[in-house]
Amino acid sequence: MKQLLLKSLALAVIAAAGHASAGVVVVTPADMNAGVNSWTLANYRGLSTGHTSTTVAAINTVNPRSGNGSVQMSLTDASGKADFAYAWGFDSTRTLGTLSALSYDWYRSSGGTSDTHLQPAMRLTYDADGDASTLGDRGYLIWEQVYNGGGMVLDTWNSSNILAGNYWQRQFSPGANVDNYIPLQEWMSAGRPATSDLLTANSAVLGIEFGIGSGWGGSFNGFVDNVTFGFNGESTTFNFEAVRAAEVPEPASALLVGLGLLGFAAARRRKSK
């Protein structure tokens, strides 16, 4: 019986290790702005930068989502703006064609005076031809709830799996919007808008970001957490926390510990006999 249990635990360890295609990374204020492969506060416009908006863009405990914190994003007038960006630059394995996961949790508080359809938007930064030496073909593909059906639910966390959603395009050069709201597959097809950057499955994804502002009128208060992106079936979820909690072993590690303890107990019993 003990041998059967040991064998079952071993198989469970193998299965858990074989399916470890997703990971969770905790991001605290101390982890921000640490260079490559870290989240960075970008495009901030607030009192400290000469604008009239009291803009907040920080990880805090005001409205925790999955633990003790989340990212608060708020502004008090149209001059405010803030983005949280994660950029990795050119990576041949990270393209529009290999993008396999994209989701996030977001929240809009009631009481703000900005347009009722606004919420923290998600953006993919692309390079259309996948060539680092050409600079005139970069931009954003932007996801917003208003272009994806369903009403805005205030004062509650919304979980949006946006991989198959509708996006519009913002071209860095010549600084123009392509206001078509279509899925990623259509942006990569021959039926894409004629005025758009020519995206394909080989278009490089250079990073992701979420943010508020850029001409929003009135006041706004919202939150973001659990941002997930992945390529080729491997994904990472970023859980924003005010304070890092004690590390919890991954399932495979916990099973290995359990297996070791069970084997040790069995050995002790044999020795005592």
Side-chain angles (χ1 to χ4, degrees):
M1 182 65 182
K2 289 194 291 287
Q3 288 183 341
L4 179 60
L5 182 57
L6 286 169
K7 183 177 180 180
S8 298
L9 278 170
L11 290 174
V13 170
I14 294 170
H19 289 84
S21 59
V24 177
V25 175
V26 173
V27 182
T28 69
D31 302 317
M32 291 288 297
N33 305 309
V36 178
N37 292 325
S38 75
W39 286 92
T40 302
L41 178 61
N43 304 316
Y44 180 83
R45 300 175 193 166
L47 295 177
S48 63
T49 58
H51 296 81
T52 56
S53 171
T54 303
T55 305
V56 175
I59 305 170
N60 59 40
T61 60
V62 174
N63 186 17
R65 173 56 166 166
S66 300
N68 58 55
S70 65
V71 177
Q72 183 178 13
M73 311 197 84
S74 65
L75 47 82
T76 56
D77 63 40
S79 72
K81 178 174 173 56
D83 299 322
F84 265 48
Y86 189 95
W88 52 79
F90 279 86
D91 181 337
S92 61
T93 68
R94 294 182 172 184
T95 67
L96 285 179
T98 62
L99 184 67
S100 56
L102 192 60
S103 64
Y104 71 125
D105 295 347
W106 56 271
Y107 184 110
R108 173 168 178 167
S109 303
S110 60
T113 59
S114 60
D115 288 347
T116 57
H117 69 271
L118 295 172
Q119 40 80 225
M122 181 66 72
R123 310 182 191 101
L124 291 171
T125 308
Y126 66 78
D127 182 284
D129 64 3
D131 183 349
S133 67
T134 58
L135 304 179
D137 60 340
R138 297 181 184 177
Y140 292 136
L141 288 173
I142 304 171
W143 185 95
E144 296 179 85
Q145 178 64 54
V146 65
Y147 306 120
N148 284 274
M152 176 84 64
V153 181
L154 301 177
D155 298 322
T156 189
W157 281 98
N158 299 266
S159 296
S160 296
N161 185 346
I162 67 175
L163 185 62
N166 295 322
Y167 295 76
W168 59 279
Q169 187 181 92
R170 171 66 178 174
Q171 299 166 329
F172 294 169
S173 177
N177 294 340
V178 182
D179 295 323
N180 290 65
Y181 311 106
I182 55 178
L184 295 175
Q185 291 299 323
E186 292 189 35
W187 284 111
M188 294 184 282
S189 73
R192 70 178 75 84
T195 57
S196 69
D197 285 335
L198 304 181
L199 304 180
T200 70
N202 294 321
S203 295
V205 180
L206 307 180
I208 65 171
E209 62 183 63
F210 56 88
I212 61 171
S214 189
W216 291 15
S219 58
F220 174 90
N221 187 45
F223 303 85
V224 171
D225 206 350
N226 295 325
V227 176
T228 299
F229 68 82
F231 296 86
N232 297 300
E234 300 287 331
S235 64
T236 302
T237 297
F238 294 90
N239 179 22
F240 296 93
E241 300 283 38
V243 178
R244 189 179 301 277
E247 296 293 336
V248 178
E250 293 185 2
S253 300
L255 282 169
L256 282 170
V257 171
L259 183 58
L261 290 174
L262 186 59
F264 177 75
R268 287 287 300 270
R269 283 195 294 271
R270 286 197 300 271
K271 185 176 181 180
S272 64
K273 291 179 180 179

